[in-house]
Amino acid sequence: MVRGTDRHNSVLRSLDWWTVGIYLALLVFGWISVCGASYTYGDTDIFSLSTRSGMQIVWIGTSICLGFVLLMLDDRFYDIFAYVIYILFLLLLFATIFNPHEIKGSRSWLVLGPLRLQPAEFAKFATALAISKFMSTYRFDIHQWKHFATAIGIVILPMLFIVAQKETGSALVYLSFFLMFYREGMPGSILFTGVAMIIYFVAGIKYEDVMLGQTPTSVGKFIVMLLVQVFTAGMVYTYCKNKKQTVKMLIYCIGITCIAFLFSQFVIHFDIVYVQIFLCIALLVYLLYQGLRTRLINYFYIAMFAVGSLLFFYSADYVLNDVMEPHQRVRINVLLGLDEDLSGAGYNVHQSEIAIGSGGLQGKGFLNGTQTKLKFVPEQDTDFIFCTVGEEEGFVGSAGVLLLFLALILRLIHLAERQPFKFGRIYGYCVLSIFLFHVFINVGMVLGLTPVIGIPLPFFSYGGSSLWGFTLLLFIFLRIDAGRNLVRS
């Protein structure tokens, strides 16, 4: 029997102090950034609770206390009560949909007197625990569609509730769980399909109104149709191991497309896309024939991929123009370079790029940024806080912050891989995926490389909900890791 005092001492000895050190360093640099972003010329006390920098100290202090409490709990607690925690937060998310308080067009905040909490930030760790519990059961097999569909359902359900709260950005974070699915054996074709859909959407929309040479052919449609054919042929080579068929498909598709282009360019002008649609139909017929002849089911899956690609592409324009909200449509157009809109949707990104560029190599120094002090960048202490790092600390400081995040990600990979049980490994990769998604998207949107979806930068953005949420994610994993070698009766 392990006594409480012995267990606590063992936990502290087994605790990964490197990760704790990185966490504390990120908290310190995060507070410096919040201080720089929220500081106004003339302020005399940056530690006052009436300022955001002062309140952030409170959030940091409570987060450290929360982390300590999480470490003192038995690691089996998170396994045993995973489903209970998940259901409780699902009920809280559902109740928040009917929240009468709307903040910046979103109903995702619960207002409790002077305190505002965002349940979506806490639901991440609850979902990670539930999915880890489910996938670590003895009979779970990710290659069985029934099991995999149930696992996806555990992730999708909180997403739907969060979307209903008009908080699309927070909902998209849950897509990061697919990185964990891939690590645990999800077929790479599913991940590739998701990447392919993004390529279709970007290429098709961005170059939709550009004509191919002297032909009445949309470059966007032409590129997507050609990619569908090339990807389909490549999947035949990858999953059916038939090099001869792959070469034959590529020669026919590319050769006929080139002939159609030359004919349309110099003889009779016509839309080459019609020829490409015919080629796609021919590919489908060929794949179905090969599937029936060889009884190899992979041919049917590849045919489904080709059909899904075509359906997705032709529905993308409809979704963009008829389903998405106007502000979402404008953001996508700005990101793709179709609209500039420096005074509207593109204003935040444009001003943050100016702030980062003005920082140069070494930055302007602490509290000396002009773009941030004059409040040119909206949300500069929350979603766009990385621009403050770029302006005040320059390239050197920005690179240092990114290296800290890289160290955290690499450390999480190391910790996840050394877990003796599936529950700990899966939870570790859930935490890793969420942090990676937040850092990549947040820094990318500040630099104008990814869409502006409004998600915080871990340990940097101002606010208690996000800081507590990330602390919960990280320290639950640290507690699970610390108990990996604990001897129990």
Side-chain angles (χ1 to χ4, degrees):
M1 186 73 179
V2 180
R3 293 180 300 176
T5 303
D6 294 337
R7 185 179 70 248
H8 292 162
N9 291 335
S10 178
V11 167
L12 294 178
R13 285 196 300 267
S14 302
L15 186 63
D16 187 68
W17 289 101
W18 283 105
T19 304
V20 174
I22 296 172
Y23 167 78
L24 294 175
L26 288 170
L27 289 181
V28 171
F29 287 118
W31 179 80
I32 292 173
S33 301
V34 169
C35 187
S38 60
Y39 178 79
T40 303
Y41 289 121
D43 284 349
T44 57
D45 188 2
I46 60 177
F47 299 102
S48 171
L49 295 182
S50 63
T51 64
R52 290 208 160 194
S53 56
M55 280 303 300
Q56 189 69 0
I57 294 178
V58 175
W59 304 135
I60 290 173
T62 53
S63 295
I64 294 174
C65 293
L66 176 61
F68 180 78
V69 171
L70 294 171
L71 292 177
M72 292 302 102
L73 293 175
D74 194 310
D75 58 300
R76 291 172 293 187
F77 171 86
Y78 305 112
D79 188 351
I80 295 171
F81 292 98
Y83 290 145
V84 175
I85 296 172
Y86 176 72
I87 292 172
L88 288 175
F89 274 97
L90 278 184
L91 294 174
L92 186 59
L93 287 176
F94 181 74
T96 308
I97 297 175
F98 308 98
N99 172 32
H101 301 283
E102 187 169 306
I103 300 174
K104 296 181 181 179
S106 171
R107 293 180 179 272
S108 62
W109 294 88
L110 292 178
V111 180
L112 307 173
L115 185 64
R116 296 191 305 179
L117 295 175
Q118 192 174 21
E121 293 294 334
F122 303 106
K124 297 172 190 174
F125 91 90
T127 305
L129 285 175
I131 199 70
S132 302
K133 176 77 171 180
F134 177 71
M135 292 180 64
S136 61
T137 54
Y138 176 70
R139 294 185 177 182
F140 177 83
D141 184 358
I142 199 170
H143 299 290
Q144 293 188 20
W145 281 103
K146 182 179 179 180
H147 293 177
F148 186 43
T150 304
I152 292 178
I154 293 175
V155 174
I156 294 297
L157 196 54
M159 282 185 67
L160 296 177
F161 290 160
I162 295 171
V163 169
Q165 298 170 9
K166 301 180 182 179
E167 190 64 32
T168 308
S170 296
L172 291 175
V173 174
Y174 287 76
L175 295 177
S176 63
F177 284 99
F178 279 87
L179 293 176
M180 178 275 297
F181 287 143
Y182 180 68
R183 164 61 183 82
E184 293 301 315
M186 181 185 74
S189 57
I190 297 178
L191 194 62
F192 174 76
T193 300
V195 174
M197 298 304 176
I198 296 174
I199 295 174
Y200 297 154
F201 184 82
V202 173
I205 299 300
K206 185 174 179 65
Y207 301 105
E208 182 180 15
D209 297 325
V210 180
M211 295 296 108
L212 181 64
Q214 301 299 318
T215 69
T217 304
S218 167
V219 171
K221 292 181 179 179
F222 178 84
I223 291 175
V224 171
M225 287 296 179
L226 193 59
L227 286 175
V228 171
Q229 297 163 24
V230 172
F231 289 164
T232 301
M235 294 181 79
V236 169
Y237 176 75
T238 303
Y239 297 105
C240 300
K241 308 301 181 183
N242 197 320
K243 183 178 180 181
K244 184 178 179 180
Q245 285 182 352
T246 301
V247 173
K248 185 187 297 184
M249 292 167 66
L250 289 174
I251 290 176
Y252 275 110
C253 290
I254 296 176
I256 294 174
T257 300
C258 289
I259 293 172
F261 169 72
L262 293 174
F263 192 85
S264 178
Q265 177 80 4
F266 300 107
V267 184
I268 299 176
H269 299 309
F270 69 95
D271 194 344
I272 306 171
V273 172
Y274 291 119
V275 176
Q276 292 180 302
I277 292 176
F278 172 78
L279 288 173
C280 288
I281 295 174
L283 278 179
L284 289 174
V285 173
Y286 179 73
L287 291 171
L288 293 175
Y289 167 74
Q290 290 295 330
L292 292 172
R293 186 179 69 84
T294 63
R295 298 184 181 277
L296 189 61
I297 196 171
N298 286 349
Y299 282 108
F300 296 104
Y301 287 145
I302 296 172
M304 290 173 57
F305 167 81
V307 172
S309 296
L310 294 175
L311 292 176
F312 173 83
F313 171 63
Y314 278 100
S315 64
D317 185 67
Y318 169 76
V319 171
L320 181 66
N321 294 304
D322 299 307
V323 176
M324 289 186 173
E325 297 292 334
H327 69 278
Q328 296 171 327
R329 187 162 58 247
V330 170
R331 284 179 177 177
I332 290 177
N333 288 336
V334 170
L335 176 68
L336 298 180
L338 301 177
D339 296 325
E340 193 168 355
D341 194 21
L342 298 182
S343 61
Y347 178 80
N348 290 26
V349 175
H350 181 63
Q351 293 298 328
S352 68
E353 290 173 341
I354 292 175
I356 292 175
S358 66
L361 180 63
Q362 297 181 334
K364 298 177 179 177
F366 181 55
L367 302 182
N368 290 326
T370 54
Q371 289 290 112
T372 50
K373 298 304 160 294
L374 298 176
K375 313 300 181 186
F376 280 111
V377 186
E379 311 296 338
Q380 63 187 21
D381 56 359
T382 52
D383 298 341
F384 281 83
I385 195 167
F386 190 72
C387 73
T388 303
V389 179
E391 184 178 29
E392 295 192 348
E393 310 302 329
F395 175 80
V396 174
S398 300
V401 168
L402 293 179
L403 286 175
L404 266 179
F405 278 116
L406 177 61
L408 177 63
I409 296 299
L410 293 177
R411 196 65 194 168
L412 289 175
I413 294 175
H414 171 71
L415 298 185
E417 287 295 333
R418 75 181 184 184
Q419 297 307 304
F421 302 107
K422 284 185 66 177
F423 178 82
R425 185 183 72 239
I426 293 170
Y427 182 80
Y429 272 99
C430 288
V431 175
L432 160 68
S433 300
I434 292 171
F435 276 112
L436 186 62
F437 187 92
H438 269 274
V439 174
F440 179 80
I441 296 297
N442 183 277
V443 174
M445 73 183 190
V446 170
L447 298 175
L449 301 176
T450 58
V452 179
I453 62 174
I455 60 174
L457 184 62
F459 311 121
F460 273 70
S461 296
Y462 171 80
S465 291
S466 65
L467 192 52
W468 292 347
F470 290 125
T471 299
L472 279 163
L473 275 167
L474 183 60
F475 275 81
I476 288 176
F477 181 45
L478 289 177
R479 179 62 186 89
I480 293 172
D481 175 70
R484 70 190 183 281
N485 295 324
L486 187 63
V487 178
R488 299 185 177 92
S489 59

